[in-house]
């Protein structure tokens, strides 16, 4: 049985005091989620990682939004895995469509980062998803398949099972135009099939695959009713405590 997972991607939002306020206020809801066997977490900006770690219950997963694959060196503006590990971060989001679009992050680059994270016993949350044009052309499946095959290339099955995948159609991100649960399930089931062909069916059955794109307290339960969807990667609706609580309630069902 795959454990359900809710991960809030805060993107470039919240100052440290704002992040601290959220962290201090989320205790009860995190406890509620954990008591229902659900993993919950947030991905703050780098400067807010420490305040969240300090003030949130230890059960809240705290993820970074990016990392560099090199341990150290002349990479201005970058953050390394040892730096994240030292402050107690164990999870990192990679390959988000915004980073692919604005920062030129490729699936090949994600592959290097994923390997480096796994070598450090950290959890990569690898994002994939197609543009509106690709969706309308009916080419979602081959497009996403390529992202998965390249991003997870050369992993051993026992490594692959530790990765979390997030399917986020770009046309549904921040637009209020969420994919229907049937569309999300169809693509996510395809991703699971690709994972089975790469790593074997038993491993594919263990990998958690999230849906992301305009997930709200009012629609999260629909996605969770689908067999291959194991949780959600949520942007806007993860920023406020009330809404985050609503997401957890929807996930618990
Ligand atoms: P929204 O939930 O704001 O659409 O963002 C989704 C997302 O990009 C999460 O990574």
């Amino acid at each position: 049985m795959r454990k359900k997972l809710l991960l809030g991607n805060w993107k470039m939002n919240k100052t440290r005091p704002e992040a601290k306020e959220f962290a201090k206020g989320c205790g009860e809801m995190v406890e509620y989620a954990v008591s229902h066997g659900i993993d919950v977490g947030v991905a703050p900006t780098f400067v807010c990682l420490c305040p969240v770690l300090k003030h949130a219950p230890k059960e809240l997963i705290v993820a970074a939004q990016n990392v560099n694959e090199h341990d150290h060196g002349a990479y201005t503006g970058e953050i390394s895995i040892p730096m994240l590990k030292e402050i107690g971060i164990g999870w990192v989001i990679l390959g988000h469509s915004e980073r692919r679009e604005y920062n030129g992050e490729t699936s090949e680059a994600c592959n290097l980062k994923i390997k480096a994270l796994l070598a450090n016993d950290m959890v990569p949350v690898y994002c994939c998803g197609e543009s509106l044009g690709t969706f309308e052309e009916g080419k979602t499946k081959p497009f996403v398949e390529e992202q998965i095959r390249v991003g997870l290339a050369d992993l051993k099955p026992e490594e692959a099972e530790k990765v979390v995948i997030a399917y986020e159609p770009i046309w549904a991100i921040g637009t209020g135009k969420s994919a229907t649960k049937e569309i999300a399930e169809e693509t996510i089931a395809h991703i699971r099939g690709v994972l089975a062909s790469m790593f074997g069916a038993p491993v594919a059955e263990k990998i958690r695959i999230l849906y992301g794109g305009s997930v709200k307290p009012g629609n999260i339960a629909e996605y969770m009713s689908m067999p291959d969807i194991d949780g959600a990667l949520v942007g806007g609706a993860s920023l406020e405590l009330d809404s985050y609580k609503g997401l957890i309630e929807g996930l618990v069902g």
Side-chain angles (χ1 to χ4, degrees):
M1 247 305 253
R2 298 182 295 269
K3 209 170 172 188
K4 291 182 194 174
L5 169 62
L6 169 68
L7 194 57
N9 176 8
W10 285 356
K11 309 190 179 184
M12 198 175 70
N13 291 292
K14 291 194 189 291
T15 59
R16 288 191 308 155
E18 288 163 353
K20 178 176 166 184
E21 191 186 332
F22 182 102
K24 285 182 111 169
C26 72
E28 239 174 70
M29 61 182 91
V30 170
E31 203 180 298
Y32 174 75
V34 170
S35 71
H36 285 82
I38 293 170
D39 284 338
V40 285
V42 292
T45 59
F46 286 124
V47 291
C48 290
L49 292 173
C50 284
V52 173
L53 283 168
K54 183 170 173 191
H55 296 286
K58 66 174 186 336
E59 292 81 7
L60 184 75
I61 293 165
V62 184
Q65 296 177 20
N66 183 33
V67 77
N68 188 283
E69 70 273 21
H70 301 284
D71 275 358
H72 56 83
Y75 302 100
T76 302
E78 294 290 288
I79 300 277
S80 73
I81 289 173
M83 292 170 193
L84 292 180
K85 260 182 121 169
E86 190 272 329
I87 61 168
I89 297 296
W91 290 53
V92 180
I93 296 176
L94 294 172
H96 192 281
S97 60
E98 288 149 15
R99 291 203 57 81
R100 289 179 190 262
E101 182 175 352
Y102 307 132
N103 302 85
E105 185 149 292
T106 61
S107 299
E108 287 80 0
C110 290
N111 180 246
L112 298 177
K113 296 178 185 199
I114 288 169
K115 286 177 187 160
L117 285 168
L118 291 168
N120 281 279
D121 285 325
M122 290 167 76
V123 180
V125 179
Y126 179 53
C127 304
C128 59
E130 81 289 2
S131 67
L132 183 59
T134 303
F135 174 72
E136 286 178 345
E137 280 175 64
K139 295 194 175 139
T140 297
K141 286 181 189 168
F143 184 86
V144 170
E145 175 163 349
E146 171 76 4
Q147 289 180 322
I148 296 291
R149 289 196 182 274
V150 175
L152 304 188
D154 310 319
L155 299 193
K156 297 188 189 86
E158 62 271 25
E159 292 175 324
E161 69 183 44
K162 295 180 185 133
V163 176
V164 173
I165 307 282
Y167 167 59
E168 301 201 306
I170 299 170
W171 47 272
I173 295 176
T175 56
K177 198 173 144 188
S178 52
T180 62
K181 63 180 194 300
E182 290 81 11
I183 290 175
E185 168 63 21
E186 193 180 331
T187 309
I188 288 176
H190 180 70
I191 292 171
R192 203 175 297 288
V194 173
L195 295 170
S197 79
M198 293 174 77
F199 306 111
V203 168
E205 281 305 309
K206 285 188 193 163
I207 297 177
R208 290 191 281 186
I209 311 180
L210 313 179
Y211 167 73
S214 297
V215 175
K216 307 275 179 257
N219 65 12
I220 191 168
E222 287 176 33
Y223 296 108
M224 295 314 299
S225 69
M226 305 311 276
D228 284 288
I229 304 180
D230 304 313
L233 181 60
V234 185
S238 74
L239 290 170
E240 302 305 328
L241 282 165
D242 275 354
S243 171
Y244 194 86
K245 186 171 173 220
L247 291 168
I248 292 177
E249 284 165 354
L251 207 62
V252 168

